[in-house]
Amino acid sequence: MEIVVCVKQVPDTAEVKIDPVTNTLIRQGVPSIVNPFDKNAVEAAIQLREKYGGRVTVISMGPPQAQDALKECIAMGADEALLISDRAFGGADTLATSYTLAAAIKKIDKVDMILCGKQAIDGDTAQVGPEMAEHLGRAQVTCVSRIELDGQTVRLEREQEEGYEVIETSLPVLLTVTKSINEPRYPTVKGTMKANRRQIPVWTAAELTVDPQRLGLKGSPTQVRRIFTPPQRVQGELIQADTAREAAGMLINKLVEAKLV
């Protein structure tokens, strides 16, 4: 079984800053990590390979530094990795990104299952996976928390607010997974050494059968007008009193003064 996992290198959210002039994220000098949901997808793919056999290929669209994320996935246990990188892809929204990734998967050919994280922690759109399925014309199931195979039949548990929905579909299929599906393994020393020696192939726009007008900023109908950091909430006042009755009276007086009651 051929499994492709799409991963994204994202800025560490604890370090994100916003350029007030361009209204874009400042990525220079900011630590990058593998999107946590995508790590769950990589782990799910490795577990499927261990149980049913096959091969796991991890792909990412991004700048050259995204090779670090791919090597981490190889260190976890992925078999192959591929970077989709070109200046023409710059500024892509979810539609252009999904179009480019779908073109790469078409070139890989004979892919039985595509796994993605539920969403990326920087954009939080959860759109790229479903849009890829539409470009590829294959079945999709989102928010998957369990995967079982029986030949060409895939039995899934889909996470919902008040329980799980059990769905059966057939290969080929695209799935997005939640964090509850597993606990990603840590890269091993042997795996890290293997990853460090690996040369990651890079595909540019020239290697893909694509329409240049659908790539990058040109192919992105979505544009960000403004981005900002919400102001910090003002810390509330702590009312101190000898008894609960006294504290309640003080609270009521303050609410009256503020014309809230």
Side-chain angles (χ1 to χ4, degrees):
M1 180 171 62
E2 292 290 328
I3 305 174
V4 168
V5 186
C6 298
V7 303
K8 184 179 183 182
Q9 189 181 54
V10 297
D12 191 329
T13 52
E15 301 290 337
V16 165
K17 296 180 181 178
I18 297 172
D19 187 326
V21 177
T22 62
N23 290 323
T24 59
L25 296 178
I26 299 174
R27 297 179 181 269
Q28 186 175 5
V30 178
S32 296
I33 60 174
V34 179
N35 180 50
F37 287 102
D38 296 344
K39 278 191 174 183
N40 293 103
V42 174
E43 176 63 28
I46 294 171
Q47 289 183 12
L48 288 169
R49 183 198 62 198
E50 292 172 344
K51 188 173 182 180
Y52 302 105
R55 183 174 61 170
V56 175
T57 300
V58 181
I59 68 173
S60 182
M61 189 184 96
Q65 70 182 46
Q67 292 192 32
D68 295 337
L70 293 171
K71 288 187 175 183
E72 183 175 345
C73 295
I74 291 176
M76 288 176 63
D79 300 296
E80 305 291 341
L82 173 65
L83 177 62
I84 315 300
S85 184
D86 195 306
R87 295 287 295 179
F89 304 147
D93 66 359
T94 59
L95 184 63
T97 298
S98 62
Y99 172 73
T100 306
L101 288 171
I105 291 172
K106 287 178 182 178
K107 183 175 180 179
I108 294 173
D109 197 18
K110 296 181 180 179
V111 176
D112 299 296
M113 184 180 293
I114 303 168
L115 292 175
C116 308
K118 183 184 74 169
Q119 63 198 67
I121 61 172
D122 55 352
D124 279 331
T125 64
Q127 293 174 353
V128 172
E131 288 176 355
M132 286 174 56
E134 289 298 315
H135 289 307
L136 295 167
R138 65 175 59 194
Q140 60 169 300
V141 182
T142 59
C143 299
V144 172
S145 58
R146 187 175 180 181
I147 306 170
E148 292 182 355
L149 289 177
D150 183 8
Q152 293 294 302
T153 301
V154 189
R155 186 179 178 87
L156 308 161
E157 285 187 2
R158 185 172 184 268
E159 211 173 77
Q160 294 190 337
E161 290 184 4
E162 298 181 354
Y164 297 90
E165 180 182 9
V166 178
I167 297 176
E168 281 193 358
T169 185
S170 58
L171 298 174
V173 67
L174 182 147
L175 310 175
T176 72
V177 303
T178 64
K179 293 186 72 67
S180 62
I181 193 170
N182 55 44
E183 184 67 32
R185 68 191 69 189
Y186 289 102
T188 64
V189 174
K190 183 178 179 180
T192 301
M193 293 175 64
K194 174 185 174 182
N196 289 336
R197 294 193 299 267
R198 184 68 64 89
Q199 292 294 321
I200 306 294
V202 179
W203 287 357
T204 64
E207 272 87 34
L208 302 177
T209 304
V210 290
D211 178 357
Q213 298 302 313
R214 299 180 67 181
L215 302 177
L217 194 59
K218 288 183 180 179
S220 301
T222 306
Q223 295 184 5
V224 177
R225 294 287 183 176
R226 187 168 70 99
I227 187 170
F228 61 93
T229 302
Q232 289 186 337
R233 294 182 179 179
V234 179
Q235 188 173 358
E237 180 183 351
L238 180 63
I239 297 176
Q240 296 181 338
D242 295 331
T243 65
R245 182 180 293 274
E246 185 181 349
M250 294 171 64
L251 174 59
I252 291 173
N253 290 336
K254 288 185 177 293
L255 292 174
V256 172
E257 291 174 3
K259 298 181 180 180
L260 296 175
V261 295

